[in-house]
Amino acid sequence: MPSPTAATPPPAAVRSAEAIESLGIEPARLPRHIAIIMDGNGRWATAKGLTRSDGHREGAKTVRAVVTECARLGLDALTLYSFSTENWSRSPDEVNTLMGLYVEYLAAELPTMLDNNVRFRQIGRREGLPDEVLRRLDQATQATADNTGLTLVLAINYGARTEITDAVRALARQVRDGSLDPEAITADDIAAHLYTAGLPDPDLLIRTAGERRLSNYLLWQVSYAELCTVDACWPDFGVDELHAALRDFAARHRKFGKEQ
């Protein structure tokens, strides 16, 4: 089952004019919500003669830098694809390392989230996650619930097809008990039963390591997102690369399927 739906977050704090001015972008041209597929930790490590676990640890450092900068710019939401439902097929050592990193990251970064007015949320199925990971996820969610800035979303044990399946099951139960007319179901009803309910759809999807596929990530939500692929592996993706992606996004003309 999906994680409990959080209430609709308040708008992010007023965007810092000084921070945005340094980008040369009009505030209205910035995305509200960025989704990132953090790819290439293993390749980065292999190229340097390190272990995949070393790559994941370096990737965690990148997360801190990107989250802090998105909060500084006053974006509404940042969703990071951290562990997919398919990732359980990786070696037990790598999976255990990742689970340990979540515990370490959530404990170490909670003060940073509080200092930067960041609100934390997890999406994905809770079943299967270690108890300590669940405890840290819940702790971060509860401790930051009243923050009003950036909503940081970690997609852990997440898959878009699973998410849509869970949403359909929830709607089917309402039809079965007579509280919902199937002919009355709308796209908004489906969105309200997704793990991301209450969040705006991503405006910009970034994938690192040069890959050009969605990998079962936010398939419903990114229908009209602008796509940006970056050659750098995730540990080498920094604030400069983020700024470049934001400038590229700001220069695009979004039509949302309409002739304009």
Side-chain angles (χ1 to χ4, degrees), residues 12 31-35 70 74-79 149-153 199-200:
R32 292 182 64 197
H33 183 176
I34 299 175
C70 287
L75 304 187
D76 286 358
L78 171 67
T79 299
L150 175 78
T151 297
L152 169 62
V153 184
L199 291 172

Side-chain angles (χ1 to χ4, degrees), residues 64-189:
R64 181 178 193 177
V66 170
V67 170
T68 301
E69 182 63 5
C70 287
R72 188 179 78 94
L73 292 172
L75 304 187
D76 286 358
L78 171 67
T79 299
L80 303 175
Y81 203 6
S82 184
F83 189 89
S84 75
T85 51
E86 291 80 17
N87 287 159
W88 293 109
S89 64
R90 295 186 177 186
S91 72
D93 286 345
E94 184 172 359
V95 170
N96 289 336
T97 293
L98 287 167
M99 295 300 143
L101 275 175
Y102 297 139
V103 172
E104 292 177 21
Y105 175 85
L106 291 165
E109 296 304 315
L110 182 55
T112 301
M113 286 189 265
L114 293 171
D115 289 344
N116 287 277
N117 196 27
V118 171
R119 186 182 189 192
F120 177 81
R121 180 171 170 183
Q122 178 251 345
I123 58 171
R125 285 184 169 173
R126 292 170 62 88
E127 289 83 359
L129 291 174
D131 289 343
E132 183 62 12
V133 172
L134 291 173
R135 189 175 75 83
R136 291 294 184 179
L137 289 169
D138 291 342
Q139 180 186 37
T141 300
Q142 293 163 10
T144 63
D146 293 331
N147 288 350
T148 58
L150 175 78
T151 297
L152 169 62
V153 184
L154 284 189
I156 301 177
N157 198 19
Y158 173 87
R161 290 184 173 183
T162 300
E163 175 183 32
I164 294 169
T165 299
D166 284 341
V168 170
R169 287 174 176 169
L171 290 167
R173 285 192 291 270
Q174 293 179 38
V175 171
R176 183 183 60 192
D177 66 23
S179 63
L180 180 64
D181 177 359
E183 297 301 321
I185 295 173
T186 66
D188 288 341
D189 292 323

Side-chain angles (χ1 to χ4, degrees), residues 19 41 61 66-67 88-89 102 128 150 165 169 176 195 229 240 247 250 256 258-260:
N41 288 344
K61 296 177 184 178
V66 170
V67 170
W88 293 109
S89 64
Y102 297 139
L150 175 78
T165 299
R169 287 174 176 169
R176 183 183 60 192
Y195 304 161
T229 57
D240 288 344
R247 292 189 185 98
F256 300 97
K258 302 174 183 177
E259 184 177 352
Q260 298 178 12

